[in-house]
Amino acid sequence: MQTYKNKMQQANQILQQQGPTWAAMNPEYVTRMQLQNRFNTGLDIAKYTAKIMREDMASYDKDPANYTQSLGCWHGFIGQQKMISIKKHFGTTRSRYLYLSGWMVAAMRSEFGPLPDQSMHEKTSVPSLIEELYTFLKQADARELQHLFKEMDDAREIGDQVREQAAQQKVDEFETHVVPIIADIDAGFGNEEATYLLAKKMIEAGACCIQLENQVSDAKQCGHQDGKVTVPHEDFLAKINAVRYAFLELGVDDGIIVARTDSLGAGLTQKIPVSQTEGDLAEQYNSFIDGEEVTSLEDMKSGDMAIKQGEQLIKPTRLPNGLVRFKPNTGEDRVVLDCITSLQHGADLLWIETEKPHIGQIASIVNRIRDVVPNAKLVYNNSPSFNWTLNFRQQIFDAWLAEGKDVSAYQREKLMSQDYDETDLSTEADEQIRRFQKDAAAQAGIFHHLITLPTYHTAALSTDNLAKDYFGKQGMLGYVLEVQRKEIRQGLACVKHQDMSGSNMGDDHKEYFSGAHALKASGKDNTMNQFAG
């Protein structure tokens, strides 16, 4: 590890080699600016974070208690404040990532305005958000280091060498806010070449991990909506290959691919693949297609098609739009095949989109996958599309009923009611929600827990509460009581919003560039001085 002093010596050597024409350059200032900009490119970030994620995956394989987590962020500032808070509360960012949700890009970052999660937004908005998130995380590094440099300068000014050395040690041991991003590429925005081109842009922006789903690209739906259509395995594997080639071309040799299957909720396919050899992936995929047995040509009419399915000839069930229906109740079997096939052909992690957060259901699927691929691991969406309160109260109700407990005090369909909030059933349900991530990591192979859209909902909720109070009887007290006073007492960095936006760093740079002539903003009349400490 290079220390502050070592880097300053290197900077000094470079400046001395240039002679008097560079005499205005201060080696300590050069060192500080270099430390405040540790990552010069997005590829530097992708290589650094891929290594972290691989180490975390290996750690989870040894002990499932070492699972990882993230929250979805739709703006660089949101991601920055999240990582600053994590570092403040837990002292480290390790095992905490960012998630970039295609849903939130569509709903909040498209030039078309709010869009549904159907891959209608500009594909360029995805790498743009990755770049933005890392720009804000790097700025969080620079800001925190600037405060440490100020500590060093203040201690030096009063001759306190112990305090100066303590601040310098904090600089030497500084942990960056830059963490892995799991980035959603949806279904790849086109064919495999389109997927490759977009993956390259995402990696160049800093993504070490790309999540790809097996829906049809031009018919993509949100995983929690109806009407999902999957592609044959060969089509999906071609896109996995495209992403891997993009990683390797750019020198991110350990980049991570998350293969997401929507087969549990997808009842349709767009096309029937051609089987080349008996038992191949196409034949396995086609074995799930629903249809009517054909015993005579008279069973066929104009425009009908027939395929051989085992020993039978069937006429596939087709919708008026030409899509082909799968047999009912085959979703789990298709998920298992999707997952095994993806892991056997280059994917690193799995994403199974379920209709409810039920550990038993998830584990039953994962155990079947692990019979073939023992180290299979999941990225799991702790989705806001689930009604967590109702789901877990109903799970407890059903468990108690099966155990023979008296549940006559509860109405299963009305368990969301506040009337049940203080009951034993509610208490047990909340405890299971609290333990869900830990228990699912141990029992259902979940390496990474994320919430896709949390900051979408928190922004709406906090704005609703502020609007209610500020425009109501509370007036200005609504802001002071519920926002500013809490910011101050909880030690939120952004209460000093000028500092958070880079004003103090700008003052430092002006001093570096202009010396005593610098016009600085952080003088005695700056109202941010009211927020001391």
Side-chain angles (χ1 to χ4, degrees):
M1 179 183 70
Q2 279 199 320
T3 66
Y4 186 82
K5 284 187 175 180
N6 289 341
K7 287 189 72 69
M8 197 157 66
Q9 288 169 357
Q10 292 173 2
N12 192 46
Q13 288 174 0
I14 292 170
L15 297 179
Q16 286 183 347
Q17 289 170 4
Q18 298 301 321
T21 58
W22 285 19
M25 300 293 105
N26 183 316
E28 185 160 35
Y29 296 166
V30 173
T31 298
R32 291 182 177 187
M33 294 179 80
Q34 288 175 340
L35 288 171
Q36 286 175 302
N37 186 32
R38 174 178 173 181
F39 303 98
N40 293 319
T41 70
L43 283 177
D44 292 336
I45 292 173
K47 292 173 183 177
Y48 168 78
T49 53
K51 182 174 182 292
I52 289 174
M53 199 164 171
R54 289 286 179 182
E55 290 172 353
D56 287 345
M57 290 161 66
S59 178
Y60 174 83
D61 286 339
K62 293 176 183 176
D63 183 353
N66 299 325
Y67 61 90
T68 57
Q69 300 167 288
S70 66
L71 297 173
C73 299
W74 51 272
H75 191 279
F77 177 74
I78 301 296
Q80 178 198 66
Q81 293 304 303
K82 171 190 149 183
M83 297 318 301
I84 288 174
S85 293
I86 287 170
K87 198 171 177 186
K88 178 184 74 171
H89 290 297
F90 304 104
T92 180
T93 61
R94 197 67 199 230
S95 300
R96 280 90 174 195
Y97 306 163
L98 294 181
Y99 180 66
L100 185 152
S101 161
W103 192 101
M104 283 210 287
V105 173
M108 308 186 78
R109 299 305 300 261
S110 172
E111 292 184 10
F112 291 99
L115 294 173
D117 183 21
Q118 296 172 0
S119 290
M120 294 190 290
H121 55 280
E122 311 88 335
K123 63 175 71 175
T124 53
S125 58
V126 183
S128 293
L129 180 52
I130 296 169
E131 183 179 11
E132 177 182 293
L133 283 163
Y134 280 128
T135 297
F136 274 81
L137 294 185
K138 290 196 296 180
Q139 196 255 11
D141 281 359
R143 175 195 164 275
E144 187 175 328
L145 283 164
Q146 190 266 341
H147 282 245
L148 294 176
F149 299 152
K150 182 72 164 53
E151 281 185 37
M152 290 171 60
D153 292 342
D154 290 347
R156 191 180 295 168
E157 189 174 336
I158 62 175
D160 189 338
Q161 293 185 349
V162 174
R163 186 176 158 201
E164 182 183 351
Q165 282 299 115
Q168 187 173 305
Q169 186 174 350
K170 289 179 186 177
V171 172
D172 290 340
E173 297 174 354
F174 180 79
E175 181 182 40
T176 179
H177 295 83
V178 169
V179 296
I181 287 178
I182 297 176
D184 186 359
I185 199 172
D186 282 3
F189 286 86
N191 62 21
E192 57 268 43
E193 173 69 2
T195 301
Y196 154 77
L197 292 171
L198 178 54
K200 275 185 65 176
K201 289 294 184 185
M202 293 168 69
I203 298 162
E204 288 169 340
C208 74
C209 180
I210 293 178
Q211 167 210 327
L212 174 68
E213 63 197 56
N214 69 337
Q215 288 193 48
V216 175
S217 187
D218 60 356
K220 182 255 183 332
Q221 298 277 20
C222 173
H224 290 276
Q225 293 182 318
D226 203 357
K228 293 182 289 295
V229 186
T230 62
V231 297
H233 292 89
E234 295 88 347
D235 292 20
F236 189 54
L237 297 181
K239 291 189 175 183
I240 289 177
N241 290 341
V243 175
R244 180 63 66 203
Y245 272 112
F247 274 125
L248 293 172
E249 177 185 338
L250 296 171
V252 186
D253 299 340
D254 50 359
I256 294 103
I257 298 173
V258 180
R260 167 175 160 173
T261 173
D262 281 294
S263 289
L264 205 59
L268 301 168
T269 185
Q270 189 180 48
K271 62 183 180 182
I272 299 172
V274 178
S275 175
Q276 304 294 331
T277 59
E278 186 176 350
D280 64 8
L281 286 174
E283 184 175 356
Q284 292 178 68
Y285 189 78
N286 292 340
S287 70
F288 296 114
I289 289 174
D290 193 24
E292 176 185 340
E293 185 178 4
V294 176
T295 57
S296 165
L297 287 177
E298 293 180 0
D299 295 334
M300 308 288 287
K301 63 178 184 291
S302 178
D304 280 349
M305 66 171 68
I307 62 171
K308 190 174 182 184
Q309 195 177 73
E311 297 302 317
Q312 284 187 324
L313 193 67
I314 69 160
K315 181 171 62 175
T317 303
R318 293 195 294 168
L319 275 60
N321 57 15
L323 297 175
V324 178
R325 189 179 299 282
F326 286 117
K327 294 174 184 176
N329 303 316
T330 61
E332 183 171 316
D333 291 336
R334 286 183 280 122
V335 164
V336 171
L337 181 60
D338 293 344
C339 291
I340 292 171
T341 300
S342 297
L343 292 174
Q344 289 176 334
H345 292 82
D348 302 291
L349 295 168
L350 302 171
W351 175 311
I352 298 173
E353 196 72 59
T354 63
E355 80 284 358
K356 59 182 179 293
H358 192 290
I359 293 176
Q361 178 197 26
I362 303 164
S364 69
I365 299 172
V366 171
N367 288 337
R368 291 178 61 188
I369 298 165
R370 284 184 162 180
D371 285 342
V372 181
V373 185
N375 68 338
K377 293 180 284 295
L378 293 189
V379 172
Y380 188 73
N381 178 10
N382 293 209
S383 177
S385 294
F386 302 141
N387 184 332
W388 285 77
T389 301
L390 182 61
N391 263 293
F392 276 83
R393 287 182 181 182
Q394 288 182 340
Q395 287 179 40
I396 299 301
F397 180 94
D398 294 341
W400 285 2
L401 186 64
E403 294 167 9
K405 288 188 177 182
D406 181 10
V407 292
S408 60
Y410 306 98
Q411 290 182 267
R412 190 180 187 279
E413 299 307 315
K414 296 182 178 180
L415 287 174
M416 185 65 198
S417 171
Q418 285 182 296
D419 295 341
Y420 296 120
D421 283 358
E422 304 302 322
T423 63
D424 290 343
L425 185 146
S426 172
T427 300
E428 177 59 24
D430 284 352
E431 175 61 14
Q432 288 207 12
I433 293 171
R434 186 187 70 81
R435 295 198 322 256
F436 176 80
Q437 294 189 345
K438 181 180 180 181
D439 291 348
Q443 300 170 31
I446 297 178
F447 158 72
H448 186 78
H449 283 278
L450 61 90
I451 308 178
T452 43
L453 321 174
T455 52
Y456 175 92
H457 292 281
T458 55
L461 180 62
S462 61
T463 302
D464 180 73
N465 287 331
L466 177 60
K468 176 187 67 176
D469 291 339
Y470 176 74
F471 293 102
K473 293 180 180 179
Q474 292 283 69
M476 193 58 199
L477 184 60
Y479 173 78
V480 172
L481 194 63
E482 295 301 321
V483 180
Q484 189 180 80
R485 195 173 295 173
K486 288 183 177 180
E487 282 182 307
I488 295 169
R489 291 177 177 173
Q490 291 178 213
L492 265 67
C494 68
V495 72
K496 299 183 181 181
H497 47 260
Q498 306 287 14
D499 174 51
M500 194 74 252
S501 70
S503 178
N504 290 341
M505 284 189 290
D507 278 355
D508 284 353
H509 292 164
K510 291 174 190 175
E511 189 171 359
Y512 297 171
F513 307 153
S514 304
H517 298 288
L519 179 63
K520 301 202 289 188
S522 56
K524 63 180 179 64
D525 293 330
N526 189 322
T527 60
M528 288 286 101
N529 294 331
Q530 296 171 24
F531 303 94

